Amino acid sequence: MAKIDFLKSLVKNIRFCLKSSIVILGELFGLCKIYLILLAIVMIAFPIIFYYFGSPGIDLDLLRILVESEVAMFAIVISLSLVAVELAASSYSVRVINLFKNTPDFWFILETYIGAIIFGLILLKLIKNNDLSNFYPYILSAYFYLSIFAFLALVPYVWNTLNILKPSTMIKMLAEKINKQNILSAYEKTHSFSWGNIPGNDNDKLRSFLRKYFEGINWVGNANIIKIDNDRIIRVFTEEKSIEIILDRNYLTTAEISYDDQQYYLHIEKENDDFKISYQNSEKISDKEPIQPIIDIVCGSMLKYDYETVKIGLRAIGENSNHIFENEDLNDGEEEKISRLLFDHMKRVGILAANTKDEDSAIEVIVNISENGITGAKKFKSMTWLAVDTLRRVGGVAAENKLEDATKKVLSKLGFVGREAAKNKYGGAALWAVVSSSEIGKMAIKQNLEYAAKTAYLSFKWIGVVTAEQPELEYITEQVAESIGEVGIASVNQKMKKAAEQAAESLGEVGIAATNNNQFNATRQVVKSLENLGLSTSEHEFKDAAWESVFSLRKIVEITIEKVNDDLTRQIAKSLGEVGDAAAEHELRIASLLAVDYIRWVGLKTAQKEKLNEALWQAIESLEKVGIAVCNQKELEYIGDYAISYLGDIQKRVKQSNAEISKQIEDSIKKIEDAKQKSEKNKISKSSPKRSFRS
């Protein structure tokens, strides 16, 4: 089995080397082909020209001038190239020096001029000593053609150098290096010790490892080290203390270290027939990782307000990263390494953009993060979670700096990524998207970013509607309903009328989806949040948001009655009564009228179904409560007449079947009439003129 694995690894490495070699040769030919074409033109065209128009002839003086010119041009080329490199390094990053160093143009010109100068000097020496043979004319012609080529080659070299100095060209060349192999090779594993060398040569490494990564282990300097249980356990011990490092039973990827009644996990990497042991977080990233140079250019351009370069750089990173995630075969460890590196960079750039109030750049970062997150949601759990967390970090800073458009974009993208995560049943990522939206939404409200707050409710709705379709994700739907309620109350307290209205509408949509899919616990949370929101909006006299809360409750109760859910229908009837009562107290006419009308509708529907008896009783009680409340308000008294009439309609439905309920309805009608008469008496007493008596 080990031999088969070795052969597979060998074949894989050979294929990778051949593929890389072909790619490198192709790139080299693509970069140098202009020089090869130019050389062919010189070698073919100039002999023809000299044949028809005569050769200029080359004497010793002309030869000396050519050599001196080449030396001078060589010095100029070197100087200008170094100036170009210094300019690029100072403008963007010292890491772009490698870009120039790996470009074949410079080396090609360098070698051409060195060759031409050496050729010319040797030729001068031979002419001076009269050592030339019969091939003298041909040698002079070859040198002449080489000199012409060297001078003409400066044209494409200067053109290419100027082109490389363009940020877009630099980014394109650097982005080609963003691939799976280059990113993973940037991780340097700092192995602490080898399992096979314990006890033995790695004893001191093991002692240093324990002291470095585990607090309080400073007694291992002279400790004994042995292996037990068929070399599966390393035991480090003194007379008083001991540590055990245990390989898992299947020799997979982790080992457990047991010390002081606590367990820690170590990373294992199999190498030949041995195991390399390291701490879980002992990997570090080398300077050769391919994303950092582009990030340097992006950050430098951001500080210069060069948005176009920022956009090009970020999109190059995003597109090449997406290509890796979509087309490469990645295991969980590789995916986590690549995505963590990517999102760490994106997080830093996004926070920098938000702190410098560069909203356009911040939005571009947010868009790229979300695209990577949506791509990850199709295949990778950890990548999706990292995308959500990165959006949360960037969005928090954007909200703190009152960047409303950027905050809106973060919230909408959290909704998109969370929705995709829910579709793929990545509950952790979807839940984190909800929590993140809640956190950023509250920050936006605190900063009076109302449009951003409205976007938060849309984000909640997009996630909640999808989780409602997944029975195992009901807990997320509950969290969505709770979060909308909390953020909605915060909107009301901050006097955001439109945002509160959107909160009520989103709760209604989530409630409908949850009820249709039998997520009744989530529906209860929706109803609770709608009731609290309705009470708060009524108290603050947000009439549109109040009646939207009532309307959302009506849409949900239609489904609960259809599904013959007595408990939920009763809860909604009670909530309609509470909100209607609060609306009446603050003279919100439409909300009060709708509450009375919807409670009547609930009463009529429940009266037809024996299994909704508790809901019917609650409907009568709620209608009575709102009816009494409206009678206490001068402008709403006529709604009390509606309440009496509606109770009569319900009584007609139940009179023949349930005398007890019919009697309750009569009592409720009597209480409303008494409240109405009392209100009228109060009005008469207040309107009667006061009499004065003279003693």
Side-chain angles (χ1 to χ4, degrees), residues 403-436:
L403 303 179
E404 183 156 26
D405 289 340
T407 308
K408 282 170 55 182
K409 185 65 71 174
V410 164
L411 288 164
S412 66
K413 295 304 182 182
L414 279 170
F416 293 156
V417 177
R419 180 176 61 188
E420 290 301 315
K423 286 180 180 178
N424 291 280
K425 299 183 180 180
Y426 295 167
L431 180 62
W432 194 232
V434 175
V435 174
S436 300

Side-chain angles (χ1 to χ4, degrees), residues 135-150:
F135 296 101
Y136 173 69
Y138 302 106
I139 296 174
L140 284 178
S141 296
Y143 175 68
F144 185 61
Y145 296 146
L146 179 59
S147 299
I148 292 173
F149 169 73

Side-chain angles (χ1 to χ4, degrees), residues 409-691:
K409 185 65 71 174
V410 164
L411 288 164
S412 66
K413 295 304 182 182
L414 279 170
F416 293 156
V417 177
R419 180 176 61 188
E420 290 301 315
K423 286 180 180 178
N424 291 280
K425 299 183 180 180
Y426 295 167
L431 180 62
W432 194 232
V434 175
V435 174
S436 300
S437 296
S438 177
E439 180 181 318
I440 297 172
K442 290 176 182 177
M443 293 175 68
I445 291 168
K446 187 177 179 181
Q447 300 291 348
N448 288 312
L449 307 178
E450 183 166 9
Y451 289 105
K454 289 178 65 177
T455 306
Y457 302 125
L458 294 174
S459 177
F460 288 132
K461 180 175 72 174
W462 295 331
I463 299 171
V465 169
V466 175
T467 57
E469 297 171 356
Q470 312 283 351
E472 64 272 28
L473 299 182
E474 183 175 6
Y475 68 98
I476 300 178
T477 315
E478 288 186 63
Q479 182 61 53
V480 168
E482 183 179 345
S483 296
I484 297 176
E486 291 175 355
V487 180
I489 297 297
S491 296
V492 175
N493 293 334
Q494 203 68 15
K495 312 297 183 185
M496 294 181 176
K497 295 182 179 181
K498 293 295 183 182
E501 189 177 342
Q502 181 63 59
E505 189 271 334
S506 294
L507 276 169
E509 294 297 323
V510 174
I512 290 170
T515 313
N516 277 327
N517 290 281
N518 298 324
Q519 290 190 359
F520 296 131
N521 288 330
T523 305
R524 288 187 182 89
Q525 184 59 57
V526 169
V527 173
K528 180 180 177 182
S529 295
L530 276 171
E531 179 182 332
N532 292 335
L533 186 61
L535 293 173
S536 183
T537 52
S538 297
E539 180 182 345
H540 287 79
E541 299 184 1
F542 292 177
K543 58 182 181 179
D544 291 338
W547 71 254
E548 185 66 51
S549 300
V550 174
F551 183 63
S552 292
L553 287 167
R554 159 64 190 267
K555 289 189 291 186
I556 298 170
V557 80
E558 289 180 8
I559 306 170
T560 62
I561 291 174
E562 182 181 337
K563 290 181 175 288
V564 197
N565 190 313
D566 191 30
D567 183 56
L568 271 176
T569 306
R570 182 196 60 77
Q571 183 184 351
I572 296 173
K574 181 177 182 298
S575 295
L576 283 169
E578 295 293 338
V579 177
D581 180 56
E585 182 181 348
H586 294 88
E587 299 186 12
L588 303 182
R589 182 177 59 85
I590 296 177
S592 303
L593 186 59
L594 287 177
V596 169
D597 184 58
Y598 295 161
I599 296 169
R600 164 189 174 269
W601 184 87
V602 172
L604 292 173
K605 290 294 183 180
T606 53
Q608 297 174 350
K609 298 180 183 291
E610 293 183 3
K611 294 183 179 181
L612 297 177
N613 199 47
E614 292 296 325
L616 175 58
W617 278 96
Q618 184 60 61
I620 296 167
E621 182 180 329
S622 295
L623 199 53
E624 173 192 321
K625 184 173 186 176
V626 180
I628 293 172
V630 294
C631 288
N632 293 327
Q633 305 295 336
K634 179 179 179 181
E635 301 296 329
L636 304 180
E637 281 185 359
Y638 70 97
I639 300 178
D641 294 330
Y642 287 133
I644 293 170
S645 175
Y646 293 161
L647 283 168
D649 294 338
I650 297 171
Q651 187 179 32
K652 291 176 184 177
R653 291 282 179 92
V654 300
K655 193 169 186 179
Q656 301 298 326
S657 58
N658 196 319
E660 185 179 359
I661 294 178
S662 180
K663 178 64 170 61
Q664 178 60 43
I665 292 173
E666 289 176 0
D667 292 342
S668 296
I669 292 173
K670 181 68 168 59
K671 290 178 181 178
I672 297 173
E673 289 175 342
D674 290 344
K676 187 177 180 182
Q677 291 176 2
K678 183 178 179 181
S679 177
E680 289 175 352
K681 289 180 180 179
N682 289 336
K683 285 192 293 183
I684 293 172
S685 62
K686 289 180 181 179
S687 62
S688 299
K690 294 183 179 180
R691 296 181 180 180

Side-chain angles (χ1 to χ4, degrees), residues 353-365:
N355 280 327
T356 56
K357 298 188 183 299
D358 184 354
E359 193 160 24
D360 290 335
S361 297
I363 290 172
E364 192 63 42
V365 173

Side-chain angles (χ1 to χ4, degrees), residues 239-304:
E239 293 182 356
E240 298 177 351
K241 299 181 180 181
S242 68
I243 297 172
E244 289 187 345
I245 305 173
I246 307 166
L247 281 178
D248 60 50
R249 289 286 180 184
N250 298 315
Y251 294 88
L252 297 176
T253 58
T254 59
E256 179 182 300
I257 180 167
S258 179
Y259 168 66
D260 199 19
D261 296 328
Q262 295 192 32
Q263 280 73 41
Y264 306 91
Y265 292 94
L266 309 177
H267 180 81
I268 295 177
E269 188 170 312
K270 190 172 183 180
E271 187 175 298
N272 297 328
D273 293 329
D274 199 2
F275 298 100
K276 301 294 184 180
I277 312 298
S278 59
Y279 192 63
Q280 289 281 49
N281 299 318
S282 62
E283 285 185 322
K284 64 178 182 179
I285 300 173
S286 72
D287 294 335
K288 296 180 180 179
E289 67 98 345
I291 300 178
Q292 185 63 55
I294 301 179
I295 293 296
D296 291 341
I297 295 175
V298 167
C299 292
S301 301
M302 193 183 300
L303 296 175
K304 297 173 184 176

Side-chain angles (χ1 to χ4, degrees), residues 49-58 141 144-145:
I49 293 172
F50 294 155
Y51 178 79
Y52 284 103
F53 298 98
S55 174
I58 304 178
S141 296
F144 185 61
Y145 296 146

